[in-house]
Amino acid sequence: MRPLLEVRGLKKYYPIKTGLFGKSVGQVKAVDNVDLDIYPNETLGLVGESGCGKSTLARLILRLERPNAGTTIFGGIDARNATGESIRNLRSGMQVIFQDPFGSLNPRKKVLSLVEEPMLIHRIGTKSEIRERALRLMELVGMHKDVLGRYPHEFSGGQRQRICIARSLALNPKLVICDEPVSALDVSIQAQVINLLIDLQDELGLSYLFISHDLSVVGYISDRVAVMYLGSIVESAPTSSIYNHPMHPYTQALLASVPVPKPGLKKVKPKLRGDISNMLYTLDGCVFSPRCSLAKDICYNTKPDLIEKEEGHLVACHMC
Amino acid sequence: MAEQVKSDMDEVRNLSLDKSILLIDDLHTHFFTSDGVIKAVDGVTLSLKKGFVLGIVGESGCGKTVLALSVMRLIPDPPGRIVKGRIIFDGADLLALDEDEMRRIRGGQISMIFQDPMSSLNPVFTIGAQVSEVILLHDRDVSGPRPALAKAVDVLKIVGIPSPEKRIKDYPHQLSGGMRQRVMIAMALACRPKLMIADEPTTALDVTTQAQILTLMNDLKDKIGTSIILVTHDLGIVAETCQEVAVMYTGKIVEFSNVDKIFNNPLHPYTNGLMKALPVIDNRSESSRLYTIPGTVPPFTDLPSGCTFHDRCEESMDICAHEFPPVCYPEPDHMVRCWRFKT
């Protein structure tokens, strides 16, 4: 099967500027040579700690940022060559849900016009068709149509996230990028939103790129999981494979760090040195080598490639 | 009914008075706002044994932070005020102390760690100055800034900051999030407090850093013998670090027991719902949907009558809508406030 989204060699470097004239003294490799595939009706989980480049990768896929190198091919359209009309098609096929449902809804607009807005911009259908579709979308995400005349501040966090979801579905996207969609929500509300996302996927055949730092949520919702560290994908595999049999030392440490809600469970504590490294210092070798307990000379000198060690299980590590 | 509740409360008091470092007794903290009186802490009775870690769990807006701040007597007044109750710490009622006496206890005998280390450290002072300030204020054995700074270096070493003698000259912005939280813990532990209150100490941190900080807090508890109140919404953290757990909902403790009973045999429908709503890694094939508690946490300005959970509860009975359930003890060490357990 052909992937819905192919990401090839994507790079985004930000220059570090200092002084009065903004002299460039180096660069932050926010996304460094990332390859990814997302297949139709699949959920790819993307995990990593803060500052590892997860959100930058999402912005690059959405073309909200231009990459320094590499490309994304979505539904057969190469984003590099896309201009004008074709970039519009690209964008309507990919939508995004952000973490903060408070910051992503215009407080001066009523719910109805918030949901209608994307359809008006992309000029699909007449005014009455758009209104009808907005009503259907609100029903789809479980909101009563009586609330359409209200403003965002009148809703709770979970309800606002439902409005964001309705809005992201307005243009019939094939891929929805969920950037920490449940991180700001309480446990009981989080479960409601996760269930909604799963139901919508089954109903509409959506693909998700599900970005989160919460490994339990990602493990629950994803078909495949990719682990990111300092701008690079270090491991990617089917969910059960990566959780039962993590290969990369970073993935192992990450999984061992997750608090498990079972009292008395004795766990092996991860052997990790230091904090997440500063992106400002560029390393020749493996990005994880300064913190890794297994690191040998080769790890400090040569960057490992992402290699398929088992069927569908890719790892970037010299020691695996 | 009221007498029954009262005698139950007496029982808690007698059971725990001898071994406990902290006893909160029928505490009410209210906020007087233009929208009406908000009863953020509404009749909380709790005790913490010496050397134990007590977890207070609940969703946002359930009053857990206000409870923690009440113990420190840091409730902004106006609009807030502790209207009723006692907080017995180490034999003395904190609510009866004047502000000077309270100031000596705060930071010295009871210390607090807040969620956000960036906004709880002063950006214009070095971390050495900030840690030694606590020592100068509370440690009578230390006189003068130089010995205080030397002690600050020791404390920073204990919390695992590499080369602390250099780091004391750094400003908070020069440290990573995990390092900043270590500095906060160093400040909290500098005077070997008897009680430490940690309000979501790792929520702003990454999982690997979180694991390091929690391990550190546990080690220090054993080393120094500090009792800890851990306020959090993360049930995983509670299971790993706490011995006793109080579940809070709309300003009230609805269930209180040791960690095994809370996780393996939760009695209150709310606790039970929270446990079932947690996503567990890779169990989607077994059960395709997560359990959800219907509805949302009600705002304090619009609480339902009777049991405040009854309109979200699958097991609610007629009486639930009329009266808040009393304190019930289905087992001697397991408290729950639910009509189903009223004998």
Side-chain angles (χ1 to χ4, degrees):
Chain A
M1 193 169 33
R2 199 185 153 82
L4 176 66
L5 174 76
E6 295 169 66
V7 174
R8 290 291 171 264
L10 209 58
K11 288 183 187 173
K12 180 70 190 176
Y13 298 167
Y14 292 103
I16 307 161
K17 289 179 176 163
T18 55
L20 183 60
F21 300 107
K23 199 177 92 183
S24 181
V25 292
Q27 48 196 5
V28 174
K29 295 183 174 179
V31 171
D32 194 16
N33 215 358
V34 165
D35 292 339
L36 271 184
D37 286 327
I38 300 177
Y39 291 89
N41 205 13
E42 181 193 48
T43 303
L44 175 69
L46 184 63
V47 292
E49 297 181 276
S50 51
C52 75
K54 308 185 291 279
S55 294
T56 307
L57 180 57
R59 294 176 64 86
L60 287 170
I61 292 172
L62 287 161
R63 280 266 140 171
L64 295 173
E65 301 266 358
R66 291 199 151 270
N68 294 68
T71 188
T72 51
I73 302 161
F74 178 78
I77 310 169
D78 191 333
R80 254 182 315 200
N81 313 325
T83 46
E85 193 56 33
S86 59
I87 205 154
R88 234 168 225 261
N89 291 335
L90 213 64
R91 287 219 169 108
S92 66
M94 290 190 261
Q95 290 292 312
V96 63
I97 304 164
F98 292 105
Q99 170 174 359
D100 180 12
F102 299 82
S104 41
L105 294 173
N106 186 338
R108 290 165 187 268
K109 287 199 163 163
K110 288 179 181 165
V111 171
L112 184 64
S113 56
L114 283 168
V115 177
E116 283 179 345
E117 196 180 14
M119 295 184 270
L120 290 171
I121 289 170
H122 284 264
R123 296 194 200 92
I124 55 166
T126 62
K127 237 180 158 147
S128 62
E129 280 168 2
I130 287 174
R131 170 110 345 155
E132 199 181 306
R133 181 160 167 75
L135 290 172
R136 249 202 345 269
L137 284 165
M138 292 305 279
E139 202 183 302
L140 196 64
V141 298
M143 299 277 288
H144 201 269
K145 63 169 183 282
D146 291 356
V147 304
L148 285 168
R150 296 199 192 159
Y151 290 95
H153 76 264
E154 296 176 67
F155 296 93
S156 67
Q159 287 173 311
R160 265 183 256 203
Q161 204 56 298
R162 283 174 195 270
I163 298 168
C164 291
I165 292 170
R167 209 159 111 97
S168 72
L169 296 176
L171 299 171
N172 257 330
K174 295 192 186 73
L175 173 69
V176 179
I177 293 177
C178 311
D179 192 356
E180 305 264 14
V182 294
S183 306
L185 306 175
D186 279 317
V187 181
S188 65
I189 311 302
Q190 173 181 300
Q192 293 173 2
V193 173
I194 291 173
N195 280 344
L196 174 65
L197 287 171
I198 293 174
D199 290 347
L200 289 172
Q201 179 167 45
D202 294 344
E203 209 164 307
L204 307 171
L206 298 170
S207 298
Y208 291 133
L209 175 62
F210 194 92
I211 301 175
S212 180
H213 66 278
D214 187 330
L215 285 114
S216 317
V217 173
V218 169
Y220 182 79
I221 201 169
S222 307
D223 300 305
R224 277 191 307 132
V225 175
V227 182
M228 203 167 174
Y229 187 80
L230 287 185
S232 304
I233 305 274
V234 295
E235 185 163 3
S236 91
T239 307
S240 60
S241 177
I242 208 163
Y243 280 85
N244 297 326
H245 176 45
M247 289 195 201
H248 198 282
Y250 177 64
T251 315
Q252 290 170 355
L254 208 56
L255 286 170
S257 303
V258 180
V260 184
K262 281 185 192 132
L265 193 79
K266 286 273 169 276
K267 292 198 314 184
V268 191
K269 283 287 164 195
K271 292 187 196 75
L272 266 191
R273 293 180 281 170
D275 287 335
I276 191 160
S277 325
N278 201 323
M279 271 208 187
L280 302 184
Y281 306 110
T282 45
L283 303 158
D284 294 330
C286 171
V287 281
F288 188 58
S289 58
R291 297 181 77 189
C292 185
S293 54
L294 303 173
K296 300 243 163 52
D297 282 350
I298 184 174
C299 302
Y300 297 110
N301 299 324
T302 325
K303 191 173 174 174
D305 291 324
L306 200 61
I307 301 166
E308 188 161 7
K309 302 269 176 177
E310 284 169 21
E311 165 112 52
H313 198 139
L314 284 73
V315 190
C317 178
H318 293 300
M319 295 296 131
C320 293
Chain B
M1 191 61 63
E3 273 170 24
Q4 171 68 34
V5 173
K6 197 163 186 316
S7 76
D8 283 336
M9 297 262 184
D10 285 336
E11 203 177 313
V12 186
R13 230 166 277 155
N14 296 336
L15 273 176
S16 49
L17 199 60
D18 46 343
K19 283 178 287 179
S20 63
I21 180 86
L22 180 77
L23 180 71
I24 299 170
D25 180 17
D26 196 26
L27 186 74
H28 293 256
T29 305
H30 295 179
F31 289 85
F32 300 90
T33 69
S34 55
D35 293 336
V37 180
I38 287 169
K39 298 176 180 173
V41 175
D42 192 15
V44 166
T45 299
L46 268 184
S47 71
L48 171 61
K49 297 195 196 84
K50 271 184 193 131
F52 269 51
V53 184
L54 165 69
I56 298 178
V57 285
E59 297 181 281
S60 47
C62 73
K64 51 191 195 302
T65 297
V66 175
L67 177 61
L69 290 174
S70 299
V71 176
M72 291 293 273
R73 280 191 40 200
L74 286 173
I75 298 294
D77 180 12
R81 208 165 68 227
I82 298 171
V83 292
K84 199 176 149 203
R86 291 190 304 162
I87 301 172
I88 314 287
F89 168 71
D90 212 19
D93 188 352
L94 293 182
L95 299 182
L97 301 180
D98 64 34
E99 190 50 41
D100 278 352
E101 291 168 317
M102 192 60 216
R103 197 176 288 154
R104 275 197 286 278
I105 287 183
R106 228 183 261 140
Q109 297 187 48
I110 308 179
S111 59
M112 187 149 181
I113 303 172
F114 294 94
Q115 172 173 349
D116 181 5
M118 193 66 228
S119 55
S120 352
L121 289 170
N122 192 329
V124 301
F125 289 102
T126 62
I127 61 165
Q130 294 187 56
V131 178
S132 54
E133 183 188 11
V134 187
I135 298 167
L136 275 173
L137 280 173
H138 292 289
D139 197 333
R140 295 217 182 104
D141 304 335
V142 177
S143 56
R146 270 178 189 283
L149 201 61
K151 189 156 184 216
V153 172
D154 291 344
V155 182
L156 289 170
K157 193 176 272 165
I158 293 174
V159 298
I161 290 187
S163 49
E165 54 292 328
K166 284 190 202 127
R167 285 298 189 178
I168 52 169
K169 297 191 186 90
D170 282 356
Y171 290 88
H173 76 268
Q174 291 168 291
L175 304 176
S176 68
M179 285 297 155
R180 276 182 221 140
Q181 200 57 297
R182 279 166 207 264
V183 173
M184 286 300 296
I185 294 175
M187 287 169 70
L189 291 172
C191 298
R192 300 180 168 251
K194 292 179 181 148
L195 173 65
M196 185 163 88
I197 302 172
D199 186 5
E200 306 264 8
T202 57
T203 305
L205 305 175
D206 287 316
V207 274
T208 54
T209 319
Q210 168 173 294
Q212 290 169 350
I213 295 286
L214 291 175
T215 312
L216 172 70
M217 279 175 53
N218 250 327
D219 292 350
L220 292 172
K221 181 201 74 184
D222 296 340
K223 243 183 254 176
I224 302 179
T226 303
S227 314
I228 299 175
I229 295 180
L230 184 68
V231 179
T232 181
H233 68 278
D234 189 327
L235 292 162
I237 293 176
V238 171
E240 284 192 1
T241 49
C242 301
Q243 280 96 45
E244 306 219 292
V245 185
V247 182
M248 208 166 168
Y249 189 75
T250 60
K252 291 185 168 77
I253 305 288
V254 294
E255 189 163 2
F256 178 53
S257 188
N258 62 51
V259 68
D260 288 322
K261 292 222 163 110
I262 292 282
F263 279 85
N264 298 328
N265 184 24
L267 297 179
H268 199 283
Y270 176 62
T271 317
N272 203 5
L274 281 184
M275 299 288 169
K276 284 196 281 182
L278 282 181
V280 181
I281 289 168
D282 199 32
N283 69 349
R284 196 174 151 189
S285 45
E286 294 157 30
S287 56
S288 67
R289 291 175 64 84
L290 286 171
Y291 176 81
T292 58
I293 303 174
T296 54
V297 179
F300 275 110
T301 45
D302 188 22
L303 291 181
S305 62
C307 174
T308 46
F309 188 64
H310 84 265
D311 58 342
R312 302 177 72 191
C313 183
E314 287 175 350
E315 296 164 76
S316 73
M317 304 178 286
D318 290 342
I319 190 165
C320 299
H322 302 297
E323 204 172 335
F324 199 87
V327 176
C328 306
Y329 281 91
E331 290 169 275
D333 58 348
H334 199 154
M335 187 281 273
V336 62
R337 296 192 80 169
C338 177
W339 283 112
R340 287 194 308 132
F341 298 96
K342 180 74 195 140
T343 45

